[in-house]
Amino acid sequence: MPNWCDGEMTITGSISHILDFLHESITKSNAPDVSVNEYKDIIHEPGKITLSIPGNNLFWFVGTHRNFVDYKEIVIEYEVGKEDLPIHSFTIPITSAWDNDHEVFEEFARKFNISIYSVSEEPGQGFQCTMHFDPFKDEFWHDHENLYDDIMSG
C-alpha cells in the first residue's frame, strides 16, 4: 500500500500550450486502454478554459503510475489578447503514490513548452517532493527530501 503525497502543482505557459497539455496529458484513468479524451470535456471560450470530468472519475496524468488531480473541474481564466504570452498559470491540487513521476512531468514541460512547479508532502513518513521544470529558463530538477532528518539521525 502506498503512502500518499498531497500537494499543489502550478502550470505556466501560453494558452495554446496549456490547451495542448490539457488535451494530451490528462485523462480519466491510468489504464493503458483508455483514450486520452474519453469522458473528458474541454470547453474553450474567449478568456476561459474549463476542463471537467463526470461521475466518480478522477483526472489522471497520462504515463504516470498514480498521479492524479483532486478536482472534478479545472477552470483557467485569462486576459483576451494575451493568449500567446507564456504568462498564464493555474494551480491544481495533486495526489501521488509515494512521489510524483518526475520523469513524465519533465517530458510534459519539454514537449508542451510549459513550466511545471510542484510541492507535495507525505506527513506520515515525513518526506516532501519538489519538482521544478522550466524550459524558459532551462531549469529542470526534482528533489525528494526527508523532513525529519534531524529526528532520524538521533
Side-chain angles (χ1 to χ4, degrees):
M1 176 181 279
N3 289 3
W4 294 100
C5 294
D6 294 310
E8 291 186 334
M9 179 179 290
T10 299
I11 311 293
T12 304
S14 69
I15 292 301
S16 65
H17 292 160
I18 288 172
L19 277 168
D20 289 344
F21 169 75
L22 294 175
H23 278 289
E24 295 182 37
S25 67
I26 295 178
T27 185
K28 76 150 188 139
S29 169
N30 69 338
D33 60 340
V34 173
S35 165
V36 171
N37 291 312
E38 187 177 350
Y39 302 109
K40 176 175 74 174
D41 296 317
I42 298 177
I43 300 170
H44 183 203
E45 52 192 306
K48 187 176 181 179
I49 301 167
T50 305
L51 173 65
S52 59
I53 194 161
N56 293 324
N57 296 306
L58 296 171
F59 290 122
W60 288 79
F61 291 103
V62 173
T64 65
H65 294 94
R66 290 186 250 178
N67 290 218
F68 57 92
V69 180
D70 277 341
Y71 269 177
K72 302 294 285 170
E73 182 175 77
I74 299 169
V75 177
I76 305 163
E77 294 182 346
Y78 62 92
E79 187 176 340
V80 175
K82 295 187 177 183
E83 293 88 347
D84 294 335
L85 298 176
I87 59 171
H88 308 284
S89 65
F90 64 99
T91 301
I92 51 178
I94 60 169
T95 297
S96 61
W98 293 106
D99 194 353
N100 297 311
D101 288 335
H102 58 277
E103 297 93 354
V104 175
F105 290 104
E106 181 175 352
E107 183 181 321
F108 288 159
R110 292 182 191 276
K111 179 179 180 180
F112 300 111
N113 200 29
I114 57 174
S115 172
I116 298 175
Y117 178 77
S118 172
V119 176
S120 298
E121 185 175 309
E122 201 294 337
Q125 293 292 318
F127 59 83
Q128 179 174 319
C129 311
T130 306
M131 351 183 248
H132 183 118
F133 303 124
D134 191 341
F136 309 114
K137 297 179 182 175
D138 199 30
E139 294 177 357
F140 297 90
W141 56 267
H142 170 260
D143 184 41
H144 188 104
E145 175 186 3
N146 185 345
L147 297 176
Y148 304 128
D149 278 339
D150 56 335
I151 295 171
M152 299 299 201
S153 62

